Amino acid sequence: MLQLTPSHSLHQPLLSPQSLPFSLLQTCKTQREAEQHHAISLKTGTFSDPAIASRFLSLYADPKINNLDYARSVFDQIEEPTLVSWNVLIKCYVGNQRSHDAIVLFYELLHELVPDNFTVPCVIKGCARLNAIGEGKQIHGLVLKIGLGLDKFVQSSLVSLYSKCGEIGLARKVFDQMLDRDLVTWNSLIDGYARCGEVEVAMELFDQMQERDSFSWTVLVDGLSKCGKVEMAREIFDRMPHRNLVSWNAMINGYMKSGDFEMARQLFSRMPTRDIITWNSMIAGYEFNGQFMEALELFQEILEEDIMPSHATLVSALSAISGLAILSKGRWIHSFMVKHGFDLDGVLGTSLIEMYSKCGSIESALAVFRAIDRKKLGHWTAIIVGLGMHGMADQVLELFLEMRKNGMHPHGITFIGVLNACSHAGLVDLGRYYFNLMINDYEIEPTIEHYGCFVDILCRAGCLDEAKNVIESMPMKPNKVIWMSLLSGARNHGNVEVGDYAARHLIDVSPDSVGCYVLLSNMYAAADKWEKVSQVREIMRKRGVKKDPGCSSIEHRGVLHEFIVGDKSHPRTKDIYSKLTEMREKLKSVGHVPDTSQVLLCLQEEKEKEAELENHSERLAIAFGLINLEPGSPIRIIKNLRVCNDCHSVTKLLSSIYDREIIVRDNSRFHHFRNGSCSCKDFW
């Protein structure tokens, strides 16, 4: 640091312009030292010297200090910056993830100077980061005009640009023109082929390489894993002379994406070191494969090892909680996020809204949504979809209108939430309006999910001919969900002709769908077509179609209790069945008559059918909830199948008899039972 002595006069320059940058600026290591010398140069008038100003620019742009704002301020004060100064600032912009500003600055440079072989690779790197292939091609054209087309650094950057942006043909063309190819260029091209799924070509190039580094091996492992060729990826992985952390993570990702989470766990257990990416890969992989409990157990391990979870970790954990509907764990993670200052303005806020919605606490989802100051489209969409699942159509449409007034443009998923709300609330006219609004005003091409929602709206309202016409005019092949909606609508509205039509197509698309045969049989039985009922039963027998067992789960004190139909494995089975007997007596006393129309075909006697209904999994879960949960607290249940007609009627009555709110999430939507009524319009 500069020391003033009594002989110095503040009215005289302390150092000459020539001596300042070399005697003092070379020794600067911190921003404070640079600022001190900067202040002295302004006081003494030496800053006006272009060489000194350029040196300050380099200091502020240096990675050790890396103050982009100061660097830009200095640059703007240089009257005629040299090409070196332009290059320094462009590099600083790219290094600070502000590639767009780097490209803008580059275009300003073109009005003043001709770029060199330092400028061009740097700005091309910025284009690659932004996936700005159009701008990259323009710069490539400029490169050829100014005679840098054969410069190896420029060529290498172009290979990297085209590889990362998916223009592998152009990358190969530049690569083939190169006389001097370094290891980085080979790796870039191999990475490009791997990204495009052309792993055979990537392997050919790999075999041609005279020199390889860990990146060369890792790129191949990652590319093969992402393309689903996990066995080939493992072969390369096992051949690696030195496995780095990235290669371990790539292999784990590959196994998880192929569904082999057991092999992923084996690798995870063998790893010498792990980073947060490793943990995230495992947790996200378990969640992706429906192993929600395993995902949450690993999340707990992270916390026990004092590893701070990242945003990605929390998103995966919240998604796993959504799958299990363990509300208490979701609330705990929410508290953890608040305690550690995680920002909810981004994807975490969206995940939190989705978690509360799927766990049956739509009030908490709304509270999170309202608390987010800078709401993005993802937040609006999440709450609209959540409210739609819960059948709260009025709130959905109010929020949708509010969102549009705030200048937000809905995307396709937003409209799925709106259409779902219209479907579950029976709003057929509004459903038509919003379906057409999406196409005409927002120019969103309907996906099969949009068509599925619209067909469901029409079928619930009994507009079966219109629904049939929509299906026949779809630009894509209808899926199981769409045909099931039409069959269900035909059954509910007693249209055997449309039901036959839907069933034929449904069996073609999904011959093992037991719901198809049950609905078809019920429709025939309701129409007294008993020969048809027998035919359906025979088809089921020949094809070996069996009904998936119903499974319902309920959380109590952080533990998930699961029940299947007729389950007697629970430690409190005696108490549960005693409560079931009490429930049956109370239901009889209020005049409930069991609806056996949807019971399995193999049961002939009416008493057998009634007994089977009484042991449905959600009733066991309700009994458990009545025994264990505090009086007045909601009973939240998640079921893997759709709630049958009789269980829906029974749950409505039980909510009134026991004065309890009962929330059931089936494989279609949420049902909120309060005071003998339900939020849905699913049952007639």
Side-chain angles (χ1 to χ4, degrees):
M1 183 180 295
L2 180 66
Q3 299 292 327
L4 293 177
T5 65
S7 60
H8 282 128
S9 170
L10 293 178
H11 300 289
Q12 296 175 341
L14 295 173
L15 294 167
S16 68
Q18 290 75 24
S19 62
L20 181 61
F22 301 104
S23 63
L24 292 174
L25 300 187
Q26 294 281 34
T27 63
C28 285
K29 294 181 180 179
T30 66
Q31 179 167 324
R32 184 178 179 184
E33 290 178 357
E35 288 174 352
Q36 288 176 336
H37 295 318
H38 190 177
I40 291 172
S41 73
L42 292 171
K43 265 184 186 179
T44 59
T46 56
F47 182 78
S48 59
D49 183 277
I52 294 179
S54 297
R55 180 58 187 154
F56 277 116
L57 169 63
S58 298
L59 269 176
Y60 289 129
D62 188 279
K64 294 177 183 176
I65 297 178
N66 193 32
N67 191 318
L68 181 54
D69 292 335
Y70 273 40
R72 182 61 196 250
S73 177
V74 170
F75 178 83
D76 289 340
Q77 294 176 58
I78 301 174
E79 288 188 11
E80 293 184 3
T82 63
L83 182 57
V84 172
S85 297
W86 285 92
N87 289 346
V88 166
L89 192 57
I90 288 172
K91 182 181 179 182
C92 192
Y93 271 125
V94 174
N96 282 276
Q97 311 299 321
R98 291 176 59 178
S99 296
H100 180 268
D101 292 320
I103 295 171
V104 171
L105 190 63
F106 176 74
Y107 280 111
E108 292 177 15
L109 161 66
L110 296 180
H111 292 92
E112 306 292 334
L113 300 166
V114 177
D116 61 9
N117 63 346
F118 182 91
T119 327
V120 173
C122 193
V123 77
I124 288 176
K125 182 179 180 180
C127 291
R129 287 186 174 177
L130 295 173
N131 199 33
I133 189 64
E135 288 79 0
K137 288 180 178 179
Q138 290 178 25
I139 295 171
H140 190 177
L142 173 68
V143 161
L144 298 176
K145 286 182 181 179
I146 61 178
L148 293 176
L150 297 179
D151 182 271
K152 70 174 185 178
F153 299 108
V154 173
Q155 288 179 316
S156 180
S157 65
L158 286 168
V159 171
S160 178
L161 166 74
Y162 289 133
S163 296
K164 290 178 179 176
C165 294
E167 295 277 1
I168 196 63
L170 292 175
R172 186 57 184 264
K173 187 175 180 180
V174 175
F175 179 85
D176 289 340
Q177 293 172 354
M178 294 181 68
L179 300 176
D180 185 10
R181 303 165 183 152
D182 60 12
L183 181 59
V184 173
T185 307
W186 280 90
N187 285 342
S188 293
L189 190 64
I190 290 173
D191 185 35
Y193 276 114
R195 286 170 182 264
C196 294
E198 298 186 38
V199 288
E200 292 81 4
V201 182
M203 291 186 70
E204 288 176 11
L205 286 168
F206 180 80
D207 292 336
Q208 293 172 22
M209 294 178 72
Q210 296 181 350
E211 179 190 2
R212 298 171 184 148
D213 62 5
S214 60
F215 185 81
S216 315
W217 292 88
T218 303
V219 161
L220 210 52
V221 170
D222 189 47
L224 289 165
S225 297
K226 287 177 177 175
C227 291
K229 300 184 179 181
V230 185
E231 292 181 4
M232 292 175 67
R234 183 58 186 267
E235 184 181 340
I236 299 294
F237 178 79
D238 289 339
R239 285 171 50 199
M240 290 182 69
H242 303 287
R243 301 185 191 102
N244 58 16
L245 189 56
V246 178
S247 62
W248 284 91
N249 290 342
M251 200 66 245
I252 285 173
N253 260 325
Y255 277 126
M256 281 300 190
K257 287 180 179 177
S258 69
D260 194 348
F261 47 85
E262 292 182 2
M263 190 61 74
R265 186 61 191 241
Q266 287 183 24
L267 280 181
F268 178 78
S269 301
R270 287 172 45 198
M271 291 180 72
T273 58
R274 301 166 183 155
D275 61 4
I276 190 63
I277 296 174
T278 315
W279 290 93
N280 288 348
S281 296
M282 288 295 297
I283 294 171
Y286 274 130
E287 189 277 327
F288 175 77
N289 285 286
Q291 305 296 307
F292 303 129
M293 196 59 74
E294 288 81 355
L296 292 181
E297 287 171 0
L298 270 187
F299 178 75
Q300 190 64 38
E301 282 187 42
I302 281 186
L303 300 180
E304 290 170 0
E305 295 196 14
D306 288 330
I307 300 172
M308 178 56 69
S310 66
H311 281 65
T313 324
L314 292 167
V315 166
S316 296
L318 288 170
S319 185
I321 288 168
S322 298
L324 294 169
I326 307 180
L327 182 60
S328 64
K329 289 191 182 297
R331 292 196 193 282
W332 184 89
I333 290 183
H334 187 184
S335 298
F336 177 89
M337 289 161 58
V338 172
K339 179 181 178 181
H340 292 278
F342 282 91
D343 188 3
L344 298 185
D345 287 353
V347 68
L348 270 181
T350 301
S351 297
L352 204 56
I353 293 168
E354 289 175 349
M355 181 277 293
Y356 278 125
S357 297
K358 291 179 179 179
C359 287
S361 182
I362 194 64
E363 298 84 3
S364 298
L366 275 166
V368 171
F369 173 77
R370 293 298 186 195
I372 297 172
D373 293 327
R374 293 173 293 178
K375 296 179 180 65
K376 298 182 176 65
L377 181 57
H379 302 127
W380 289 95
T381 297
I383 194 63
I384 285 171
V385 170
L387 288 166
M389 288 169 55
H390 286 263
M392 303 170 76
D394 291 342
Q395 292 93 322
V396 167
L397 300 182
E398 286 175 12
L399 277 177
F400 185 67
L401 181 60
E402 184 182 341
M403 181 190 79
R404 293 168 67 196
K405 285 182 178 178
N406 287 342
M408 291 283 181
H409 285 265
H411 53 38
I413 299 175
T414 320
F415 275 102
I416 287 175
V418 172
L419 292 172
N420 258 327
C422 292
S423 174
H424 293 308
L427 305 174
V428 63
D429 291 333
L430 279 173
R432 288 193 192 97
Y433 168 76
Y434 285 113
F435 188 78
N436 292 323
L437 179 77
M438 176 185 73
I439 298 170
N440 299 326
D441 286 29
Y442 291 98
E443 298 180 346
I444 296 173
E445 194 71 27
T447 64
I448 196 161
E449 288 81 10
H450 294 114
Y451 278 109
C453 293
F454 187 42
V455 167
D456 196 51
I457 291 170
L458 296 173
C459 290
R460 288 172 187 272
C463 306
L464 300 178
D465 290 334
E466 184 180 352
K468 187 168 173 282
N469 291 335
V470 169
I471 294 172
E472 290 172 346
S473 65
M474 286 170 52
M476 70 284 291
K477 185 177 180 181
N479 61 9
K480 170 186 171 181
V481 174
I482 288 175
W483 289 120
M484 198 73 177
S485 292
L486 187 62
L487 176 57
S488 181
R491 184 257 180 192
N492 289 327
H493 293 282
N495 193 321
V496 175
E497 182 182 350
V498 173
D500 281 334
Y501 170 83
R504 286 197 306 272
H505 287 88
L506 180 54
I507 291 171
D508 287 341
V509 172
S510 182
D512 297 326
S513 176
V514 66
C516 165
Y517 300 103
V518 172
L519 281 173
L520 195 59
S521 172
N522 291 339
M523 182 181 69
Y524 288 143
D528 289 331
K529 295 181 179 291
W530 298 106
E531 289 185 9
K532 294 277 191 178
V533 173
S534 299
Q535 290 174 12
V536 172
R537 185 185 306 174
E538 183 63 18
I539 292 171
M540 289 180 70
R541 188 188 65 79
K542 287 182 178 179
R543 295 188 176 181
V545 177
K546 294 181 180 179
K547 185 178 184 292
D548 293 331
C551 178
S552 296
S553 59
I554 181 172
E555 179 204 354
H556 177 52
R557 294 180 179 173
V559 177
L560 203 64
H561 299 262
E562 292 186 339
F563 300 92
I564 59 172
V565 60
D567 198 341
K568 295 187 178 181
S569 62
H570 196 275
R572 299 199 62 182
T573 290
K574 184 177 179 180
D575 295 334
I576 290 169
Y577 276 84
S578 175
K579 179 62 74 172
L580 280 176
T581 300
E582 176 190 299
M583 289 160 55
R584 180 173 65 248
E585 295 303 318
K586 287 181 179 291
L587 288 167
K588 283 183 179 178
S589 69
V590 295
H592 172 65
V593 178
D595 177 3
T596 60
S597 64
Q598 292 184 4
V599 178
L600 288 172
L601 298 172
C602 58
L603 299 179
Q604 302 293 323
E605 298 296 327
E606 199 66 20
K607 287 186 177 180
E608 284 183 300
K609 293 181 179 181
E610 290 179 14
E612 200 269 346
L613 283 173
E614 290 172 4
N615 294 330
H616 273 192
S617 61
E618 60 265 55
R619 301 200 197 183
L620 295 172
I622 290 171
F624 177 87
L626 290 171
I627 293 169
N628 292 283
L629 299 182
E630 290 292 328
S633 61
I635 297 174
R636 291 184 171 87
I637 296 167
I638 179 171
K639 183 174 182 180
N640 64 329
L641 304 175
R642 191 178 182 220
V643 173
C644 73
N645 284 1
D646 190 63
C647 285
H648 191 271
S649 300
V650 162
T651 309
K652 280 200 293 188
L653 290 172
L654 291 174
S655 71
S656 178
I657 291 169
Y658 289 96
D659 192 22
R660 297 291 284 265
E661 179 184 8
I662 303 174
I663 303 167
V664 180
R665 185 182 108 189
D666 65 13
N667 66 354
S668 174
R669 53 151 304 153
F670 273 92
H671 305 269
H672 287 255
F673 300 94
R674 295 186 185 92
N675 302 319
S677 63
C678 180
S679 61
C680 77
K681 304 288 183 182
D682 288 6
F683 295 88
W684 284 264

